[in-house]
Amino acid sequence: MEVLSNKIDRDQLKPGDHIYSWRQAYIYAHHGIYVGEGMVIHFTRGSGQETGTGTILNRLLISSPTLHNTSDILCPRCGDQTRTDGVIRSCLDCFLSSDDLYLFEYGVSPALFLAKARGGTCTTASSDPTEDVLHRALFLLENGFGSYHVFKNNCEDFAIYCKTGLLVVTNFSVGRSGQAASCLAVAGAVVSSPVRFMTTGFGGLALVGCGMYCVSRYVSDIGVRSDVTKVPVEMITELSKED
């Protein structure tokens, strides 16, 4: 696996792998769990439900696309999924939507985590055994994963939960998604830039901004956060009713 790319070939896939593919010229990625036999379980949004707010964020910060067929011929394995949302199972071709295949990495070192500057590609957290990952994915396929939220409950959050069983326990915090954490880290660095520039100049500004971005990403990683806990998948339905 390269530092700058997690791209893999299909013949390297194993059941329980957390996979993703970039969309819209690498603006965001869609994540899922490969369950074998060419099938993927993943979490998709319903129309107008991306953030739960109906704001412009629905268009700018989408981290899970709604599946759609690009032709009038339905996929022989998936059928018609044009109006499907929530946790669904699709074939690998429909999941990738003609994009490349990438493998999300678990148990990486802090140095490698920071070297992969783009969020949503790896975590320092360790993956659970394959049987646990598949059990969670199949259970959530039947019972759902709550309401989609771009910051707190998106497709990457779903895949990370399947792999680790970890959930965020604070209501005011961003979810497990590395993509969402990166967006917030960038925003924090930009907001503080005018003040930093007054005291550091261009060179110092770039250095401070980069440092803030890296620190924000790292402290938001599921592997180092203190506001997460292991939650049995059978409790997910009850927790969703409380939200």
Side-chain angles (χ1 to χ4, degrees):
M1 198 75 67
E2 300 177 7
V3 172
L4 297 179
S5 175
N6 292 2
K7 188 176 179 180
I8 62 169
D9 296 324
R10 294 188 181 207
D11 57 10
Q12 296 177 270
L13 279 176
K14 302 182 296 296
D17 279 347
H18 174 173
I19 60 176
Y20 63 96
S21 64
W22 292 105
R23 302 287 204 259
Q24 301 294 331
Y26 294 89
I27 294 176
Y28 64 95
H30 184 45
H31 296 248
I33 299 295
Y34 181 71
V35 294
E37 299 182 350
M39 302 301 289
V40 183
I41 294 178
H42 52 120
F43 187 39
T44 69
R45 72 183 192 279
S47 178
Q49 299 177 23
E50 292 85 352
T51 66
T53 62
T55 68
I56 194 171
L57 289 175
N58 288 356
R59 296 184 179 181
L60 298 181
L61 295 175
I62 296 170
S63 58
S64 176
T66 303
L67 281 186
H68 61 84
N69 294 296
T70 56
S71 69
D72 294 332
I73 301 176
L74 300 181
C75 174
R77 300 193 68 183
C78 300
D80 183 5
Q81 295 187 335
T82 56
R83 297 183 179 180
T84 303
D85 62 276
V87 181
I88 64 175
R89 176 162 41 193
S90 307
C91 71
L92 187 58
D93 287 329
C94 287
F95 172 81
L96 293 176
S97 190
S98 300
D99 291 308
D100 293 326
L101 172 65
Y102 296 84
L103 179 67
F104 193 98
E105 293 184 87
Y106 285 81
V108 303
S109 67
L112 182 57
F113 179 86
L114 292 174
K116 291 179 178 289
R118 184 68 184 268
T121 62
C122 64
T123 178
T124 60
S126 299
S127 171
D128 286 335
T130 299
E131 56 268 26
D132 293 339
V133 177
L134 295 177
H135 171 66
R136 292 182 188 121
L138 291 169
F139 182 91
L140 296 176
L141 177 64
E142 297 297 326
N143 296 277
F145 192 61
S147 300
Y148 186 96
H149 191 288
V150 70
F151 285 126
K152 296 183 178 180
N153 203 49
N154 58 45
C155 62
E156 186 183 344
D157 291 322
F158 166 80
I160 290 175
Y161 172 73
C162 288
K163 291 287 286 186
T164 67
L166 296 174
L167 283 180
V168 176
V169 295
T170 51
N171 292 326
F172 56 84
S173 180
V174 69
R176 292 132 289 170
S177 169
Q179 294 185 96
S182 290
C183 288
L184 295 180
V186 169
V190 170
V191 168
S192 65
S193 293
V195 175
R196 299 289 182 180
F197 176 70
M198 294 174 62
T199 58
T200 62
F202 283 112
L205 175 62
L207 184 61
V208 171
C210 180
M212 290 182 60
Y213 172 77
C214 291
V215 170
S216 296
R217 278 190 59 234
Y218 183 70
V219 299
S220 297
D221 179 55
I222 192 72
V224 299
R225 293 173 62 156
S226 60
D227 61 344
V228 296
T229 188
K230 203 89 165 182
V231 177
V233 70
E234 291 78 12
M235 294 180 59
I236 293 294
T237 303
E238 294 301 318
L239 290 174
S240 298
K241 290 179 181 178
E242 297 175 5
D243 294 338

